[in-house]
Amino acid sequence: MSDRALPGKDPHGISRRGFIARTSSILGAVTLAGHIAPAQAQAAPAPGPVESGAHVQALVIGTGYGGSVAALRLAQAGVDVQMIEMGMDWVTPGSDGKIFPKVTSPDYRSFWLRTRTKAPLSNFLGFPIDKDVPKYTGILDAEDFAGITVYQGRGVGGGSLVNGGMAVTPKRANFQAVLPSVDADEMYETYYPRANAGLGVGMIDPNWFETAACYQFSRVGRKHAQRSGFAWTFVPDVYDWDYMKQEAAGTATKSALDGEILYGNNHGKKSLVQTYLAQARATGKVAISSLHKVTSVTPTTDGGYTVTIDQLNTTGDTVATKTVTADRVFFAAGSVGTSKLLVKLKATGALPNLNTEVGKGWGDNGNVMCGRANHMWDPTGKLQATIPCSGIDNWDAGGAFAEVAPLPTGIETYASFYLSITKNPNRAEFSWNAATGKADLSWQTAWKQPSIDMAKTIFDKINAKEGTIYRTDLFGGNKVWNDTLTYHPLGGAVLNKATDNYGRLHGYTGLYVIDGALIPGNTSVNPFVTITALAERNIEKIIATDL
Protein backbone atom coordinates (compact mmCIF):
# COMPACT_ATOMS: atom_id res chain seq x y z
CA MET A 1 0.00 0.00 0.00
CA SER A 2 1.10 3.56 -0.25
CA ASP A 3 0.64 6.93 1.35
CA ARG A 4 2.41 8.69 -1.52
CA ALA A 5 0.72 11.20 -3.79
CA LEU A 6 1.67 12.82 -7.07
CA PRO A 7 2.45 15.49 -8.06
CA GLY A 8 4.40 17.61 -5.55
CA LYS A 9 5.15 16.19 -2.12
CA ASP A 10 3.92 12.89 -0.82
CA PRO A 11 2.20 12.69 2.56
CA HIS A 12 5.57 11.92 4.17
CA GLY A 13 6.75 15.39 3.21
CA ILE A 14 9.27 14.01 0.69
CA SER A 15 9.14 15.22 -2.88
CA ARG A 16 8.51 12.55 -5.45
CA ARG A 17 11.78 13.53 -7.15
CA GLY A 18 13.58 13.18 -3.82
CA PHE A 19 12.03 9.78 -3.18
CA ILE A 20 13.03 8.46 -6.59
CA ALA A 21 16.52 9.86 -6.24
CA ARG A 22 16.90 8.26 -2.85
CA THR A 23 15.57 4.85 -3.81
CA SER A 24 17.42 4.73 -7.11
CA SER A 25 20.81 5.57 -5.63
CA ILE A 26 21.37 1.96 -4.66
CA LEU A 27 24.87 0.63 -4.17
CA GLY A 28 26.21 -1.40 -7.06
CA ALA A 29 26.37 -4.45 -4.85
CA VAL A 30 22.65 -4.16 -4.21
CA THR A 31 21.32 -3.43 -7.68
CA LEU A 32 21.17 -5.91 -10.49
CA ALA A 33 22.65 -5.03 -13.84
CA GLY A 34 19.99 -4.78 -16.52
CA HIS A 35 16.75 -6.60 -16.01
CA ILE A 36 15.86 -9.40 -13.65
CA ALA A 37 16.86 -12.77 -15.04
CA PRO A 38 14.43 -15.69 -15.14
CA ALA A 39 13.91 -17.26 -11.74
CA GLN A 40 15.91 -20.37 -12.60
CA ALA A 41 18.99 -18.20 -13.13
CA GLN A 42 18.51 -15.91 -10.15
CA ALA A 43 20.77 -17.64 -7.64
CA ALA A 44 23.67 -20.04 -7.56
CA PRO A 45 22.88 -23.44 -6.04
CA ALA A 46 23.11 -23.37 -2.26
CA PRO A 47 25.64 -25.50 -0.34
CA GLY A 48 24.41 -28.82 0.97
CA PRO A 49 22.14 -28.94 4.02
CA VAL A 50 23.52 -28.54 7.51
CA GLU A 51 25.01 -31.70 9.02
CA SER A 52 24.03 -33.06 12.39
CA GLY A 53 26.67 -32.27 15.00
CA ALA A 54 27.77 -29.07 13.28
CA HIS A 55 28.64 -25.94 15.23
CA VAL A 56 27.73 -22.52 13.84
CA GLN A 57 28.42 -19.03 15.07
CA ALA A 58 24.97 -17.74 14.16
CA LEU A 59 21.87 -19.72 13.27
CA VAL A 60 19.02 -17.82 11.62
CA ILE A 61 15.59 -19.45 11.63
CA GLY A 62 13.86 -18.27 8.45
CA THR A 63 14.90 -16.55 5.23
CA GLY A 64 12.34 -13.74 5.03
CA TYR A 65 13.01 -10.03 5.39
CA GLY A 66 14.39 -9.91 8.93
CA GLY A 67 16.40 -13.11 8.59
CA SER A 68 17.92 -12.04 5.28
CA VAL A 69 19.03 -8.69 6.70
CA ALA A 70 20.55 -10.40 9.74
CA ALA A 71 22.39 -13.00 7.65
CA LEU A 72 23.88 -10.42 5.28
CA ARG A 73 25.06 -8.01 7.95
CA LEU A 74 26.45 -10.79 10.18
CA ALA A 75 28.34 -12.26 7.24
CA GLN A 76 29.73 -8.84 6.33
CA ALA A 77 30.95 -8.58 9.93
CA GLY A 78 32.84 -11.87 9.51
CA VAL A 79 30.36 -14.20 11.20
CA ASP A 80 29.57 -17.63 9.73
CA VAL A 81 25.80 -17.98 9.33
CA GLN A 82 23.58 -21.01 8.89
CA MET A 83 20.03 -20.21 7.75
CA ILE A 84 17.25 -22.74 8.31
CA GLU A 85 14.27 -22.55 5.93
CA MET A 86 11.18 -24.74 6.23
CA GLY A 87 10.21 -24.22 2.60
CA MET A 88 11.95 -25.10 -0.64
CA ASP A 89 14.75 -23.36 -2.47
CA TRP A 90 12.80 -22.50 -5.61
CA VAL A 91 15.39 -22.98 -8.34
CA THR A 92 14.16 -26.01 -10.32
CA PRO A 93 11.59 -25.56 -13.11
CA GLY A 94 8.53 -27.77 -13.33
CA SER A 95 7.43 -29.70 -16.39
CA ASP A 96 6.14 -26.45 -17.92
CA GLY A 97 9.65 -24.98 -17.89
CA LYS A 98 8.69 -22.45 -15.23
CA ILE A 99 9.49 -22.37 -11.56
CA PHE A 100 6.23 -20.73 -10.54
CA PRO A 101 2.67 -21.20 -11.88
CA LYS A 102 0.32 -18.34 -12.55
CA VAL A 103 -2.62 -17.31 -10.41
CA THR A 104 -5.24 -18.83 -12.70
CA SER A 105 -3.48 -22.22 -12.95
CA PRO A 106 -2.60 -23.39 -9.43
CA ASP A 107 -0.97 -26.80 -9.20
CA TYR A 108 1.19 -28.83 -6.81
CA ARG A 109 3.63 -25.92 -6.51
CA SER A 110 1.01 -23.49 -5.29
CA PHE A 111 0.13 -24.45 -1.71
CA TRP A 112 1.99 -25.67 1.33
CA LEU A 113 0.91 -29.23 2.19
CA ARG A 114 -2.71 -28.83 1.14
CA THR A 115 -4.74 -31.25 -0.94
CA ARG A 116 -7.04 -28.48 -2.09
CA THR A 117 -6.16 -24.91 -2.95
CA LYS A 118 -7.48 -22.08 -0.76
CA ALA A 119 -7.27 -18.90 -2.80
CA PRO A 120 -8.03 -15.57 -1.09
CA LEU A 121 -10.62 -14.97 -3.83
CA SER A 122 -12.49 -18.26 -3.61
CA ASN A 123 -15.37 -17.69 -6.03
CA PHE A 124 -15.98 -15.95 -9.32
CA LEU A 125 -19.39 -15.26 -10.85
CA GLY A 126 -20.77 -17.45 -8.10
CA PHE A 127 -18.67 -20.52 -8.93
CA PRO A 128 -15.98 -21.90 -6.60
CA ILE A 129 -12.50 -21.76 -8.11
CA ASP A 130 -10.47 -23.86 -5.68
CA LYS A 131 -9.42 -27.29 -6.85
CA ASP A 132 -7.76 -30.48 -5.65
CA VAL A 133 -3.97 -30.61 -5.89
CA PRO A 134 -1.32 -33.13 -4.82
CA LYS A 135 0.09 -32.62 -1.35
CA TYR A 136 3.40 -30.81 -1.75
CA THR A 137 5.64 -28.30 -0.02
CA GLY A 138 4.28 -25.50 -2.21
CA ILE A 139 5.05 -21.82 -2.06
CA LEU A 140 1.97 -20.34 -0.35
CA ASP A 141 0.78 -21.41 3.08
CA ALA A 142 -2.84 -20.75 3.97
CA GLU A 143 -2.54 -21.52 7.68
CA ASP A 144 -5.86 -21.84 9.46
CA PHE A 145 -6.45 -20.68 13.01
CA ALA A 146 -9.68 -20.12 14.89
CA GLY A 147 -11.28 -17.16 13.16
CA ILE A 148 -8.60 -16.38 10.58
CA THR A 149 -6.46 -17.78 7.76
CA VAL A 150 -2.93 -16.41 7.59
CA TYR A 151 -1.24 -16.37 4.17
CA GLN A 152 2.55 -16.79 4.30
CA GLY A 153 5.33 -17.48 1.83
CA ARG A 154 7.13 -20.82 2.05
CA GLY A 155 10.58 -21.02 0.53
CA VAL A 156 13.96 -19.35 0.47
CA GLY A 157 12.94 -15.70 0.42
CA GLY A 158 9.84 -16.11 2.61
CA GLY A 159 7.02 -13.68 2.04
CA SER A 160 8.95 -11.82 -0.65
CA LEU A 161 8.17 -14.74 -2.99
CA VAL A 162 4.40 -14.35 -2.88
CA ASN A 163 3.55 -10.74 -2.05
CA GLY A 164 2.76 -7.95 -4.50
CA GLY A 165 6.01 -6.18 -3.69
CA MET A 166 4.28 -3.12 -2.23
CA ALA A 167 7.25 -1.38 -0.63
CA VAL A 168 5.85 1.39 1.52
CA THR A 169 7.43 3.54 4.19
CA PRO A 170 4.78 4.62 6.74
CA LYS A 171 3.89 8.24 7.20
CA ARG A 172 6.25 9.62 9.79
CA ALA A 173 3.29 10.95 11.77
CA ASN A 174 2.04 7.38 12.23
CA PHE A 175 5.36 5.81 13.19
CA GLN A 176 5.41 6.44 16.95
CA ALA A 177 2.02 4.76 17.32
CA VAL A 178 3.53 1.66 15.71
CA LEU A 179 6.92 1.47 17.46
CA PRO A 180 6.92 3.98 20.33
CA SER A 181 10.29 2.88 21.75
CA VAL A 182 12.18 3.42 18.49
CA ASP A 183 13.82 6.71 17.53
CA ALA A 184 11.88 7.92 14.49
CA ASP A 185 14.68 10.27 13.41
CA GLU A 186 17.19 7.46 12.99
CA MET A 187 14.64 5.27 11.23
CA TYR A 188 13.72 7.91 8.64
CA GLU A 189 17.23 9.29 8.21
CA THR A 190 19.16 6.01 8.18
CA TYR A 191 17.30 2.73 8.28
CA TYR A 192 14.32 3.31 6.02
CA PRO A 193 16.60 4.67 3.28
CA ARG A 194 18.92 1.69 3.80
CA ALA A 195 16.02 -0.75 3.55
CA ASN A 196 14.59 0.90 0.43
CA ALA A 197 18.01 0.77 -1.21
CA GLY A 198 18.65 -2.83 -0.24
CA LEU A 199 15.25 -3.95 -1.47
CA GLY A 200 15.53 -2.12 -4.80
CA VAL A 201 12.38 -0.04 -4.35
CA GLY A 202 11.12 2.01 -7.32
CA MET A 203 8.04 3.76 -8.64
CA ILE A 204 5.98 3.29 -11.77
CA ASP A 205 6.57 5.85 -14.53
CA PRO A 206 3.49 8.10 -14.16
CA ASN A 207 3.49 9.00 -17.84
CA TRP A 208 3.55 5.36 -18.94
CA PHE A 209 0.84 4.60 -16.41
CA GLU A 210 -1.60 6.92 -18.15
CA THR A 211 -1.71 4.83 -21.33
CA ALA A 212 -0.78 1.31 -20.17
CA ALA A 213 -3.66 -1.06 -20.89
CA CYS A 214 -2.64 -3.27 -17.98
CA TYR A 215 -3.39 -0.45 -15.50
CA GLN A 216 -6.82 0.54 -16.75
CA PHE A 217 -8.19 -1.00 -13.55
CA SER A 218 -6.08 1.39 -11.52
CA ARG A 219 -7.11 4.43 -13.53
CA VAL A 220 -10.76 3.52 -12.97
CA GLY A 221 -9.97 3.23 -9.27
CA ARG A 222 -8.41 6.69 -9.37
CA LYS A 223 -11.43 8.22 -11.08
CA HIS A 224 -13.88 6.77 -8.59
CA ALA A 225 -11.74 7.73 -5.59
CA GLN A 226 -11.21 11.30 -6.69
CA ARG A 227 -14.83 11.84 -7.68
CA SER A 228 -15.71 10.93 -4.07
CA GLY A 229 -13.12 13.28 -2.62
CA PHE A 230 -10.49 10.73 -1.58
CA ALA A 231 -6.74 11.02 -2.05
CA TRP A 232 -5.47 8.56 -4.63
CA THR A 233 -1.75 7.75 -4.54
CA PHE A 234 0.94 5.90 -6.45
CA VAL A 235 2.59 3.04 -4.59
CA PRO A 236 6.32 2.15 -4.56
CA ASP A 237 7.15 -1.45 -5.43
CA VAL A 238 10.09 -3.80 -5.92
CA TYR A 239 9.05 -4.86 -9.41
CA ASP A 240 11.43 -3.98 -12.25
CA TRP A 241 9.31 -1.32 -13.96
CA ASP A 242 11.50 -1.29 -17.08
CA TYR A 243 10.85 -5.01 -17.40
CA MET A 244 7.12 -4.34 -16.99
CA LYS A 245 7.26 -1.89 -19.90
CA GLN A 246 9.00 -4.54 -22.01
CA GLU A 247 6.32 -7.07 -21.10
CA ALA A 248 3.68 -4.63 -22.27
CA ALA A 249 5.62 -3.95 -25.48
CA GLY A 250 5.99 -7.67 -26.21
CA THR A 251 9.79 -7.58 -26.07
CA ALA A 252 10.22 -9.62 -22.87
CA THR A 253 8.73 -12.81 -21.50
CA LYS A 254 5.51 -11.91 -19.73
CA SER A 255 5.38 -12.38 -15.99
CA ALA A 256 3.25 -9.81 -14.17
CA LEU A 257 1.24 -9.57 -17.38
CA ASP A 258 0.80 -13.34 -17.46
CA GLY A 259 -0.88 -13.70 -14.09
CA GLU A 260 2.20 -14.48 -12.00
CA ILE A 261 2.40 -13.26 -8.41
CA LEU A 262 0.44 -15.14 -5.73
CA TYR A 263 2.35 -18.37 -6.34
CA GLY A 264 5.63 -16.67 -7.28
CA ASN A 265 6.86 -14.51 -10.14
CA ASN A 266 9.28 -15.86 -12.73
CA HIS A 267 10.87 -12.70 -14.05
CA GLY A 268 10.41 -9.06 -13.13
CA LYS A 269 10.00 -9.08 -9.37
CA LYS A 270 12.97 -8.38 -7.10
CA SER A 271 12.37 -10.78 -4.24
CA LEU A 272 14.92 -11.27 -1.47
CA VAL A 273 16.48 -13.97 -3.64
CA GLN A 274 17.78 -11.23 -5.95
CA THR A 275 18.65 -8.66 -3.27
CA TYR A 276 19.65 -9.37 0.34
CA LEU A 277 20.01 -13.12 -0.06
CA ALA A 278 22.05 -12.81 -3.25
CA GLN A 279 24.49 -10.57 -1.43
CA ALA A 280 24.52 -12.84 1.61
CA ARG A 281 25.36 -15.90 -0.46
CA ALA A 282 28.05 -13.96 -2.32
CA THR A 283 29.97 -13.43 0.93
CA GLY A 284 30.74 -17.15 1.09
CA LYS A 285 29.84 -17.10 4.78
CA VAL A 286 26.12 -17.92 4.55
CA ALA A 287 24.69 -21.40 4.04
CA ILE A 288 20.96 -22.08 3.62
CA SER A 289 19.32 -25.38 4.50
CA SER A 290 15.91 -25.57 2.83
CA LEU A 291 13.19 -28.08 3.76
CA HIS A 292 14.49 -27.92 7.32
CA LYS A 293 12.35 -26.98 10.33
CA VAL A 294 13.60 -25.99 13.79
CA THR A 295 11.68 -27.80 16.53
CA SER A 296 13.69 -27.01 19.66
CA VAL A 297 16.24 -24.54 21.02
CA THR A 298 17.78 -25.21 24.42
CA PRO A 299 20.73 -23.69 26.30
CA THR A 300 24.02 -25.55 26.49
CA THR A 301 26.25 -25.53 29.55
CA ASP A 302 28.85 -23.30 27.87
CA GLY A 303 26.53 -20.46 26.93
CA GLY A 304 25.46 -21.52 23.44
CA TYR A 305 22.35 -23.32 22.24
CA THR A 306 21.44 -26.79 21.04
CA VAL A 307 19.10 -26.58 18.09
CA THR A 308 17.02 -29.55 16.94
CA ILE A 309 16.02 -29.55 13.29
CA ASP A 310 13.73 -31.82 11.27
CA GLN A 311 14.59 -32.36 7.62
CA LEU A 312 11.47 -32.67 5.46
CA ASN A 313 10.63 -34.22 2.12
CA THR A 314 8.27 -32.63 -0.39
CA THR A 315 5.20 -34.23 1.15
CA GLY A 316 6.05 -32.80 4.57
CA ASP A 317 7.33 -35.97 6.19
CA THR A 318 10.34 -35.85 8.51
CA VAL A 319 13.14 -37.85 6.92
CA ALA A 320 15.90 -36.98 9.39
CA THR A 321 16.34 -35.20 12.70
CA LYS A 322 19.53 -33.24 13.27
CA THR A 323 21.09 -31.54 16.25
CA VAL A 324 23.50 -28.63 15.91
CA THR A 325 24.97 -26.09 18.30
CA ALA A 326 24.97 -22.35 17.79
CA ASP A 327 26.55 -19.47 19.65
CA ARG A 328 23.60 -17.24 18.80
CA VAL A 329 20.13 -17.90 17.43
CA PHE A 330 18.02 -15.40 15.50
CA PHE A 331 14.26 -16.08 15.30
CA ALA A 332 13.12 -14.90 11.87
CA ALA A 333 10.42 -17.41 10.92
CA GLY A 334 7.82 -14.68 10.43
CA SER A 335 5.32 -13.39 12.94
CA VAL A 336 3.44 -16.68 13.09
CA GLY A 337 6.41 -19.05 12.88
CA THR A 338 8.47 -17.20 15.45
CA SER A 339 5.55 -16.77 17.85
CA LYS A 340 4.47 -20.41 17.64
CA LEU A 341 8.00 -21.64 18.25
CA LEU A 342 8.63 -19.31 21.18
CA VAL A 343 5.41 -20.16 23.03
CA LYS A 344 6.20 -23.84 22.52
CA LEU A 345 9.73 -23.46 23.86
CA LYS A 346 8.53 -21.57 26.92
CA ALA A 347 5.62 -23.89 27.72
CA THR A 348 7.56 -27.13 27.24
CA GLY A 349 10.46 -26.02 29.42
CA ALA A 350 13.07 -25.69 26.67
CA LEU A 351 13.33 -21.93 27.31
CA PRO A 352 11.38 -21.41 30.55
CA ASN A 353 12.88 -18.01 31.29
CA LEU A 354 11.16 -16.31 28.36
CA ASN A 355 8.83 -13.70 29.79
CA THR A 356 5.04 -13.61 29.77
CA GLU A 357 4.91 -11.20 26.82
CA VAL A 358 5.89 -13.97 24.42
CA GLY A 359 2.93 -14.76 22.16
CA LYS A 360 1.12 -11.47 22.80
CA GLY A 361 0.37 -8.41 20.69
CA TRP A 362 -0.49 -10.25 17.46
CA GLY A 363 -2.55 -8.49 14.81
CA ASP A 364 -3.60 -8.77 11.18
CA ASN A 365 -2.63 -5.26 9.96
CA GLY A 366 -6.36 -4.64 9.62
CA ASN A 367 -6.68 -6.58 6.34
CA VAL A 368 -10.08 -6.92 4.66
CA MET A 369 -10.99 -7.40 0.99
CA CYS A 370 -13.97 -6.37 -1.10
CA GLY A 371 -15.05 -5.84 -4.68
CA ARG A 372 -17.36 -3.36 -6.41
CA ALA A 373 -19.52 -3.92 -9.50
CA ASN A 374 -18.92 -1.05 -11.90
CA HIS A 375 -21.14 0.19 -14.71
CA MET A 376 -20.58 -0.97 -18.29
CA TRP A 377 -18.97 2.37 -19.13
CA ASP A 378 -16.21 1.69 -16.58
CA PRO A 379 -14.46 -1.45 -17.86
CA THR A 380 -11.35 -2.35 -15.86
CA GLY A 381 -9.61 -4.22 -18.70
CA LYS A 382 -9.01 -7.80 -19.78
CA LEU A 383 -5.26 -7.47 -19.27
CA GLN A 384 -4.34 -6.53 -15.71
CA ALA A 385 -0.84 -6.46 -14.23
CA THR A 386 -0.61 -8.54 -11.08
CA ILE A 387 1.47 -5.78 -9.48
CA PRO A 388 -0.71 -3.09 -7.86
CA CYS A 389 0.57 0.46 -8.25
CA SER A 390 -1.95 2.68 -6.48
CA GLY A 391 -4.19 3.10 -3.48
CA ILE A 392 -6.88 5.21 -1.82
CA ASP A 393 -5.92 7.02 1.37
CA ASN A 394 -8.51 7.72 4.06
CA TRP A 395 -6.29 6.81 7.00
CA ASP A 396 -6.53 10.08 8.90
CA ALA A 397 -10.30 10.50 8.51
CA GLY A 398 -11.51 6.90 8.46
CA GLY A 399 -8.64 4.63 9.53
CA ALA A 400 -8.30 2.89 6.17
CA PHE A 401 -5.97 2.69 3.21
CA ALA A 402 -7.15 0.61 0.24
CA GLU A 403 -4.93 -0.90 -2.42
CA VAL A 404 -6.54 -0.75 -5.86
CA ALA A 405 -5.89 -4.41 -6.58
CA PRO A 406 -5.98 -6.37 -9.84
CA LEU A 407 -8.33 -9.16 -10.85
CA PRO A 408 -6.11 -10.90 -13.43
CA THR A 409 -8.77 -13.21 -14.84
CA GLY A 410 -8.03 -12.57 -18.51
CA ILE A 411 -11.61 -11.45 -19.15
CA GLU A 412 -13.42 -8.17 -18.67
CA THR A 413 -15.06 -8.16 -15.24
CA TYR A 414 -16.26 -4.56 -14.87
CA ALA A 415 -15.15 -4.98 -11.27
CA SER A 416 -12.93 -3.00 -8.95
CA PHE A 417 -11.15 -5.05 -6.30
CA TYR A 418 -9.49 -3.79 -3.12
CA LEU A 419 -7.31 -4.96 -0.24
CA SER A 420 -7.62 -2.60 2.71
CA ILE A 421 -5.26 -1.95 5.60
CA THR A 422 -7.11 -0.50 8.58
CA LYS A 423 -6.46 0.79 12.07
CA ASN A 424 -7.97 -2.27 13.74
CA PRO A 425 -7.13 -2.16 17.48
CA ASN A 426 -7.77 -5.83 18.24
CA ARG A 427 -4.81 -8.01 19.28
CA ALA A 428 -4.66 -11.78 19.76
CA GLU A 429 -2.33 -14.09 21.67
CA PHE A 430 -0.60 -17.35 20.82
CA SER A 431 -0.63 -20.06 23.48
CA TRP A 432 0.64 -23.60 23.63
CA ASN A 433 -1.98 -26.36 23.56
CA ALA A 434 -0.36 -29.36 25.22
CA ALA A 435 -3.27 -31.64 24.29
CA THR A 436 -2.85 -31.07 20.56
CA GLY A 437 0.86 -30.32 20.58
CA LYS A 438 0.23 -27.11 18.63
CA ALA A 439 0.04 -23.39 19.23
CA ASP A 440 -3.41 -21.82 19.25
CA LEU A 441 -4.30 -18.23 18.35
CA SER A 442 -7.08 -16.38 20.16
CA TRP A 443 -8.25 -14.33 17.16
CA GLN A 444 -12.02 -14.01 16.66
CA THR A 445 -13.68 -13.35 13.32
CA ALA A 446 -15.88 -10.73 14.98
CA TRP A 447 -12.73 -8.70 15.61
CA LYS A 448 -12.68 -7.86 11.90
CA GLN A 449 -15.78 -5.67 12.24
CA PRO A 450 -13.76 -2.51 13.01
CA SER A 451 -11.79 -3.13 9.80
CA ILE A 452 -14.98 -3.48 7.78
CA ASP A 453 -16.38 -0.30 9.29
CA MET A 454 -13.17 1.58 8.47
CA ALA A 455 -13.01 0.27 4.90
CA LYS A 456 -16.67 1.20 4.42
CA THR A 457 -15.76 4.85 5.01
CA ILE A 458 -14.23 4.65 1.54
CA PHE A 459 -16.42 2.27 -0.41
CA ASP A 460 -19.86 3.20 0.86
CA LYS A 461 -19.16 6.75 -0.28
CA ILE A 462 -17.81 5.65 -3.67
CA ASN A 463 -20.81 3.39 -4.28
CA ALA A 464 -23.18 6.20 -3.36
CA LYS A 465 -21.43 8.61 -5.68
CA GLU A 466 -21.12 6.19 -8.61
CA GLY A 467 -24.46 4.44 -8.19
CA THR A 468 -22.67 1.08 -7.85
CA ILE A 469 -22.90 -1.87 -5.48
CA TYR A 470 -20.57 -4.32 -3.74
CA ARG A 471 -19.80 -7.62 -5.46
CA THR A 472 -21.17 -10.62 -3.58
CA ASP A 473 -19.78 -13.39 -5.80
CA LEU A 474 -16.10 -13.33 -4.82
CA PHE A 475 -15.84 -14.93 -1.39
CA GLY A 476 -18.65 -17.49 -1.28
CA GLY A 477 -21.87 -17.42 0.72
CA ASN A 478 -23.06 -14.13 -0.78
CA LYS A 479 -20.39 -12.30 1.22
CA VAL A 480 -19.38 -8.70 0.56
CA TRP A 481 -16.24 -8.78 2.70
CA ASN A 482 -13.45 -11.32 3.02
CA ASP A 483 -13.01 -10.91 6.76
CA THR A 484 -11.31 -14.22 7.48
CA LEU A 485 -7.76 -13.63 6.23
CA THR A 486 -4.57 -11.63 6.56
CA TYR A 487 -1.59 -11.21 4.28
CA HIS A 488 0.24 -9.17 6.91
CA PRO A 489 0.66 -11.05 10.21
CA LEU A 490 2.49 -8.96 12.81
CA GLY A 491 3.41 -9.28 16.48
CA GLY A 492 3.71 -12.12 18.96
CA ALA A 493 7.14 -11.14 20.33
CA VAL A 494 6.77 -7.39 20.57
CA LEU A 495 9.79 -5.10 20.71
CA ASN A 496 10.57 -3.72 24.18
CA LYS A 497 8.13 -6.20 25.72
CA ALA A 498 9.03 -9.80 24.87
CA THR A 499 12.46 -8.43 23.90
CA ASP A 500 14.56 -5.43 24.75
CA ASN A 501 14.55 -2.42 22.45
CA TYR A 502 16.79 -4.19 19.91
CA GLY A 503 15.17 -7.61 19.74
CA ARG A 504 17.17 -9.45 22.42
CA LEU A 505 14.83 -11.93 24.06
CA HIS A 506 14.44 -11.35 27.79
CA GLY A 507 15.74 -14.20 29.92
CA TYR A 508 18.57 -15.37 27.64
CA THR A 509 21.82 -14.10 26.20
CA GLY A 510 22.35 -14.73 22.51
CA LEU A 511 18.70 -15.21 21.50
CA TYR A 512 17.12 -12.60 19.24
CA VAL A 513 13.87 -11.89 17.39
CA ILE A 514 14.44 -9.99 14.15
CA ASP A 515 11.25 -10.27 12.10
CA GLY A 516 7.64 -9.05 11.98
CA ALA A 517 6.90 -10.62 15.37
CA LEU A 518 8.50 -7.49 16.87
CA ILE A 519 5.83 -5.16 15.44
CA PRO A 520 2.61 -4.98 17.48
CA GLY A 521 -0.11 -5.85 15.03
CA ASN A 522 -0.22 -2.92 12.61
CA THR A 523 2.13 -0.76 10.56
CA SER A 524 -0.55 1.41 8.82
CA VAL A 525 0.88 0.28 5.44
CA ASN A 526 2.31 -2.88 3.90
CA PRO A 527 4.79 -4.02 6.52
CA PHE A 528 7.87 -5.44 4.81
CA VAL A 529 9.83 -2.20 4.45
CA THR A 530 9.33 -1.52 8.16
CA ILE A 531 10.37 -5.09 9.03
CA THR A 532 13.48 -4.67 6.89
CA ALA A 533 14.36 -1.24 8.30
CA LEU A 534 13.87 -2.38 11.89
CA ALA A 535 16.06 -5.41 11.23
CA GLU A 536 18.76 -3.12 9.80
CA ARG A 537 18.60 -0.98 12.95
CA ASN A 538 18.64 -3.90 15.36
CA ILE A 539 21.38 -5.97 13.73
CA GLU A 540 23.66 -2.93 13.53
CA LYS A 541 23.34 -2.50 17.30
CA ILE A 542 23.73 -6.22 17.98
CA ILE A 543 26.89 -6.48 15.88
CA ALA A 544 28.36 -3.39 17.51
CA THR A 545 27.67 -4.43 21.10
CA ASP A 546 27.20 -8.20 21.30
CA LEU A 547 29.85 -9.67 19.01
Side-chain angles (χ1 to χ4, degrees), residues 226-349:
Q226 293 178 341
R227 281 161 57 107
S228 292
F230 294 113
W232 175 94
T233 66
F234 280 114
V235 180
D237 201 278
V238 295
Y239 205 81
D240 183 333
W241 291 107
D242 287 336
Y243 192 91
M244 180 83 78
K245 289 181 180 180
Q246 292 182 31
E247 291 183 57
T251 58
T253 302
K254 287 182 170 57
S255 189
L257 302 192
D258 194 34
E260 295 175 358
I261 194 65
L262 189 63
Y263 310 128
N265 180 276
N266 285 298
H267 296 284
K269 185 179 165 188
K270 291 173 277 188
S271 74
L272 289 168
V273 176
Q274 291 87 30
T275 56
Y276 277 95
L277 287 173
Q279 290 185 79
R281 281 173 157 164
T283 66
K285 299 188 75 64
V286 176
I288 303 176
S289 294
S290 56
L291 287 177
H292 282 62
K293 178 182 179 181
V294 172
T295 60
S296 183
V297 179
T298 57
T300 62
T301 56
D302 61 358
Y305 294 90
T306 299
V307 182
T308 305
I309 306 166
D310 285 347
Q311 183 173 356
L312 309 177
N313 62 18
T314 56
T315 55
D317 303 313
T318 298
V319 294
T321 298
K322 304 176 181 181
T323 301
V324 303
T325 56
D327 297 335
R328 303 175 192 280
V329 178
F330 292 80
F331 291 82
S335 166
V336 172
T338 289
S339 300
K340 290 195 306 180
L341 182 55
L342 288 176
V343 298
K344 172 187 175 182
L345 296 175
K346 177 175 173 59
T348 58

Side-chain angles (χ1 to χ4, degrees), residues 80-91:
D80 290 322
V81 180
Q82 173 67 60
M83 304 185 80
I84 304 297
E85 170 56 53
M86 185 166 69
M88 295 175 58
D89 196 359
W90 291 94
V91 295

